[in-house]
Amino acid sequence: MKTLNATRLIAASMALMPQGAMGRGAQKATPDRPNVIFILADDMGYGDLHCYGNDRVKTPNIDRLADTGTRFTQCYAGSGISSPSRCALMTGKNTGSTRIRDNMCTAKGITGLKISPRGDTTIVRRANLLPEDTTLATVVGSAGYRTCLVNKWHLDGYDPGAAPNHRGFDEFYGWLISTVYSNDPYYYPYWRFHGDSLINIRENEHDAHVRHNTEISTDDAIAFINRNRKHPFFLYLAYDAPHEPYNIDDTSWYDDEGDWTMTTKRYASLITHMDQQIGRLLKELDRLKLRKNTLVIFASDNGAAVMAPLKELNCNAGFRGRKGQLYEGGIRVPMIVNQPGKVPVQTLRNTVYFPDIMPTLAALTGSEDALPQGINGMNILPLFYGDKVETDNRLLYWEFPGKQRAGRKGKWKAVTVKANQPLELYNIDEDMTESRNLADQYPDVLRALDAEMRLQHHPSENWPIEEDTAPSTSPKGE
């Protein structure tokens, strides 16, 4: 597929850079104070990667990151769906206290138009990050890091003023919820934001499928890296893949899979194509001699969706549930950390989650003084470099206000995915598939977990709900 000339990309993007960013943070990155690239897949299941057990989807570049770095087997996203998960990542808070707790809110916020993958339109209400919300970009930027978001933000709601370049990022290249057509058609966009300016991808004019969004995003990421190769930088590269609609013309990796449906081929191709582009980005780091000075983190924003080929590819690795649910299949995600010569080859079972990323990167970049009050994550940086940190004796918490809630502490997980239903209890160490509800057998454990979980919920004007009066346990456990 055609790509824009790299010189053209760099020149155009430099013209759009905030003036303050050009002269800030002249100190180069080092192995001990590295650049950071956080790569996020969209709706990719825990079981979609070869390095996490999939024997049918080809992901050689991501596998190489896992084989030469640290692989987490009990990492949890911020939520089971996009906006609240990304909000937890960006703010260090769980969904009991984040600004955005679901994709749509039930009050306040701003109303706007939502277009489904089928083209249906509905009027919905969304919340957005406010100026007083401290983001991860604000924190690491305070230490002189140049910051950039490429592609998907999903925290602007219907407020154009809540774009990432107004919430701590120096640069932004991608699409916004507030401008519906900026990501239309999905994966082959004609419109794209460069900061506050909308530009056109001329090759995709008249619905032409020439430049795939995964390639456009990688081009933007590589251009940012080239501009900032002499300065420490934080790049948040948030791909769309493999979110539906599964729109990719090149399925050559899987054309010989005679028993696969076209949906399965396209879904797998979106993942493999993303893997290919990640390989291209890593080669650029090598070419610029930045690889040893760059920490790369890869994760997914939540589990695979119901539209994915869940059974055919075992997308959620046999876990119960999927995107939109707080069972393991909705919130357990892969996380890989890699930095040659610094991050050891290891597989860790520590329970970690998205709110941990803000304090961890603050410790890495020397920006801990910029951390806001009230975050729910902890610094897990020692785990990245081969040291030990106790992460399992704390409560990890999630909620969809008034609908679902879950908490994980040590081996125990309490969860309900239906409003006004009792909490279920699972021993995740022995029952990762959440098949045996132990609520009746361990009522004291469940009551204690429920009490801790209730302390994590803080009222939100965007999701006003009555106090939860649902029973904590089944009747036998009372």
Side-chain angles (χ1 to χ4, degrees):
M1 294 183 182
K2 297 178 183 177
T3 57
L4 285 177
N5 179 276
T7 306
R8 226 176 96 207
L9 269 172
I10 294 170
S13 300
M14 284 186 73
L16 290 163
M17 282 183 65
Q19 292 301 308
M22 295 288 287
R24 194 183 67 199
Q27 181 183 355
K28 288 185 177 181
T30 66
D32 293 324
R33 190 172 179 265
N35 306 309
V36 180
I37 300 177
F38 194 103
I39 304 172
L40 192 66
D42 195 348
D43 288 6
M44 191 192 75
Y46 183 94
D48 277 329
L49 298 175
H50 182 76
C51 54
Y52 278 79
N54 194 301
D55 59 0
R56 306 196 77 177
V57 180
K58 301 175 178 70
T59 53
N61 295 292
I62 298 171
D63 293 347
R64 198 170 300 115
L65 288 174
D67 292 343
T68 60
T70 292
R71 184 171 64 100
F72 286 84
T73 62
Q74 296 198 83
C75 174
Y76 290 93
S79 180
I81 204 165
S82 182
S83 291
S85 186
R86 292 160 196 267
C87 192
L89 177 67
M90 282 294 106
T91 65
K93 297 181 179 181
N94 64 38
T95 43
S97 55
T98 49
R99 181 74 60 189
I100 301 173
R101 307 185 185 189
D102 202 340
N103 275 1
M104 317 303 171
C105 56
T106 55
K108 301 288 183 178
I110 302 172
T111 56
L113 191 65
K114 176 177 172 58
I115 302 176
S116 78
R118 295 181 301 276
D120 304 323
T121 59
T122 2
I123 299 295
V124 298
R125 187 181 295 273
R126 292 185 188 263
N128 57 269
L129 282 186
L130 299 180
E132 58 264 35
D133 294 318
T134 301
T135 67
L136 178 55
T138 305
V139 172
V140 299
S142 72
Y145 275 63
R146 307 284 177 79
T147 59
C148 178
L149 168 67
V150 172
N151 198 49
K152 184 172 180 177
W153 176 232
H154 232 240
L155 303 178
D156 56 304
Y158 292 111
D159 178 7
N165 51 310
H166 296 281
R167 296 294 183 267
F169 284 92
D170 294 320
E171 300 183 47
F172 163 53
Y173 308 94
W175 60 275
L176 295 174
I177 295 171
S178 56
T179 306
V180 178
Y181 57 86
S182 62
N183 197 35
D184 185 39
Y186 216 81
Y187 288 117
Y188 293 96
Y190 176 59
W191 300 92
R192 191 166 181 82
F193 277 97
H194 281 194
D196 288 329
S197 301
L198 266 173
I199 62 126
N200 293 131
I201 310 297
R202 294 293 182 187
E203 297 91 331
N204 290 342
E205 194 170 8
H206 305 305
D207 294 331
H209 286 194
V210 177
R211 296 190 67 215
H212 195 275
N213 195 44
T214 301
E215 294 173 2
I216 296 169
S217 297
T218 308
D219 288 343
D220 289 336
I222 287 174
F224 171 78
I225 291 169
N226 272 273
R227 287 193 303 277
N228 293 283
R229 61 188 179 277
K230 295 183 179 179
H231 305 273
F233 62 77
F234 168 60
L235 169 63
Y236 174 26
L237 174 53
Y239 287 116
D240 288 330
H243 193 289
E244 85 287 342
Y246 307 130
N247 200 355
I248 185 170
D249 293 344
D250 182 8
T251 59
S252 56
W253 302 280
Y254 303 104
D255 285 345
D256 292 335
E257 298 286 352
D259 60 330
W260 286 17
T261 65
M262 186 50 70
T263 294
T264 302
K265 290 179 182 180
R266 286 176 177 152
Y267 181 86
S269 293
L270 284 167
I271 294 172
T272 300
H273 183 231
M274 174 176 62
D275 177 87
Q276 183 186 68
Q277 295 303 304
I278 290 171
R280 185 159 72 92
L281 182 140
L282 294 173
K283 284 182 180 177
E284 186 68 7
L285 290 175
D286 287 334
R287 187 186 73 80
L288 296 171
K289 296 182 171 52
L290 294 177
R291 190 66 189 88
K292 291 183 179 180
N293 295 348
T294 304
L295 178 76
V296 177
I297 305 173
F298 177 87
S300 178
D301 69 337
N302 45 249
V306 69
M307 292 73 76
L310 299 175
K311 292 182 180 178
E312 294 90 336
L313 297 183
N314 194 26
C315 299
N316 287 335
F319 293 132
R320 183 177 182 180
R322 38 78 179 167
K323 173 185 176 178
Q325 296 181 330
L326 297 181
Y327 288 126
E328 296 289 286
I331 56 176
R332 194 188 290 211
V333 295
M335 187 170 84
I336 299 163
V337 180
N338 188 288
Q339 185 187 351
K342 293 290 290 184
V343 171
V345 177
Q346 58 182 347
T347 299
L348 296 181
R349 297 187 69 256
N350 297 73
T351 51
V352 299
Y353 75 150
F354 278 13
D356 295 335
I357 298 300
M358 176 183 275
T360 300
L361 295 188
L364 178 69
T365 60
S367 53
E368 291 151 301
D369 289 347
L371 286 172
Q373 296 293 315
I375 62 173
N376 302 115
M378 65 176 289
N379 173 17
I380 59 170
L381 186 63
L383 295 177
F384 292 4
Y385 294 121
D387 295 324
K388 293 184 178 179
V389 173
E390 178 54 63
T391 64
D392 297 346
N393 289 333
R394 57 174 177 149
L395 178 73
L396 312 185
Y397 179 73
W398 305 265
E399 67 175 51
F400 287 112
K403 297 187 288 187
Q404 301 184 43
R405 59 194 184 112
R408 170 87 194 264
K409 187 174 185 180
K411 66 183 181 181
W412 296 109
K413 181 180 176 184
V415 58
T416 180
V417 298
K418 294 181 180 179
N420 302 315
Q421 292 299 308
L423 286 169
E424 303 158 14
L425 181 69
Y426 299 99
N427 180 338
I428 298 296
D429 284 355
E430 298 177 359
D431 179 24
M432 290 190 300
T433 59
E434 295 167 293
S435 303
R436 300 183 298 277
N437 182 4
L438 303 177
D440 291 345
Q441 296 179 44
Y442 298 95
D444 292 342
V445 171
L446 186 55
R447 272 194 287 268
L449 263 178
D450 180 51
E452 283 195 67
M453 288 165 63
R454 289 173 184 271
L455 292 175
Q456 293 295 313
H457 172 74
H458 300 275
S460 167
E461 64 177 7
N462 296 313
W463 286 272
I465 58 173
E466 295 181 8
E467 286 301 312
D468 183 8
T469 56
S472 302
T473 65
S474 62
K476 289 183 180 178
E478 286 295 327

